[in-house]
Amino acid sequence: MNEKEDWWTSPAESENGNLIMVTGRRDVAKFRNNPKFNIRIEVTWTYGPTPGGMPDEQTSEMMEKVQDVLQEMFKKDPVAILTGIYTGDNKRNWVFYSLSTHIFGRKLNEALEPFPTLPLTIYCENDPDWAEYAEMKDLSEILPEE
């Protein structure tokens, strides 16, 4: 993650009791206050079952490489912002807010081109109130008010 970005991490628990590490971004105000950033896009990587539901070392390393490439892509062309990362219970879920699903998809494909085919699913919906972000933010009492 970029050193200039402000992130927090907190443990949570899945419905079946597995650990989920929740990492959220604090410095989102300029995007959250822009009504164009009203589409929530979730990119989910489901990985093989492991004891405790966390990724193995090789998968974790590949996920970090993918995340770095995605963050760099959207830093260069800020059509989306990564706001949250959930890891555990046999999946990693990256949550973005974007102004266009079409442009996001094109940039996602461009960023992932050098990688082998990855087990990703993509979900998107309108979320003009940033409800998912607010819920994630409530998971941690360490976030200051914006």
Side-chain angles (χ1 to χ4, degrees):
M1 282 183 242
N2 188 324
E3 291 138 22
K4 294 179 183 177
E5 297 168 356
D6 188 7
W7 296 84
W8 57 268
T9 300
S10 181
E13 191 173 288
S14 69
E15 290 179 9
N16 63 10
N18 280 337
L19 172 68
I20 297 180
M21 295 305 295
V22 180
T23 302
R25 185 169 174 170
R26 287 190 184 99
D27 59 333
V28 299
K30 83 175 187 177
F31 296 94
R32 195 173 184 187
N33 294 331
N34 182 340
K36 292 180 180 179
F37 282 83
N38 63 1
I39 304 166
R40 184 178 77 246
I41 302 173
E42 298 180 15
V43 178
T44 303
W45 178 327
T46 302
Y47 48 87
T50 59
M54 296 307 265
D56 62 35
E57 188 173 337
Q58 183 179 6
T59 303
S60 182
E61 288 173 3
M62 180 64 88
M63 288 176 171
E64 292 305 313
K65 289 177 185 175
V66 167
Q67 183 172 310
D68 289 346
V69 166
L70 292 176
Q71 286 184 281
E72 188 60 33
M73 172 64 72
F74 293 116
K75 181 180 176 185
K76 282 191 254 180
D77 190 0
V79 298
I81 180 173
L82 178 62
T83 60
I85 306 158
Y86 299 81
T87 305
D89 204 23
N90 302 312
K91 63 185 171 188
R92 173 169 288 180
N93 190 29
W94 291 284
V95 180
F96 295 85
Y97 280 85
S98 180
L99 49 84
S100 167
T101 55
H102 175 73
I103 298 171
F104 180 89
R106 189 166 37 87
K107 293 295 182 181
L108 178 70
N109 286 332
E110 186 180 321
L112 298 179
E113 189 175 4
F115 294 95
T117 301
L118 300 170
L120 301 178
T121 57
I122 301 168
Y123 169 82
C124 56
E125 71 176 37
N126 289 326
D127 187 3
D129 297 326
W130 285 49
E132 189 282 335
Y133 180 81
E135 184 179 323
M136 178 190 63
K137 189 175 171 183
D138 288 345
L139 287 175
S140 174
E141 297 179 5
I142 63 171
L143 280 176
E145 288 298 316
E146 290 182 25

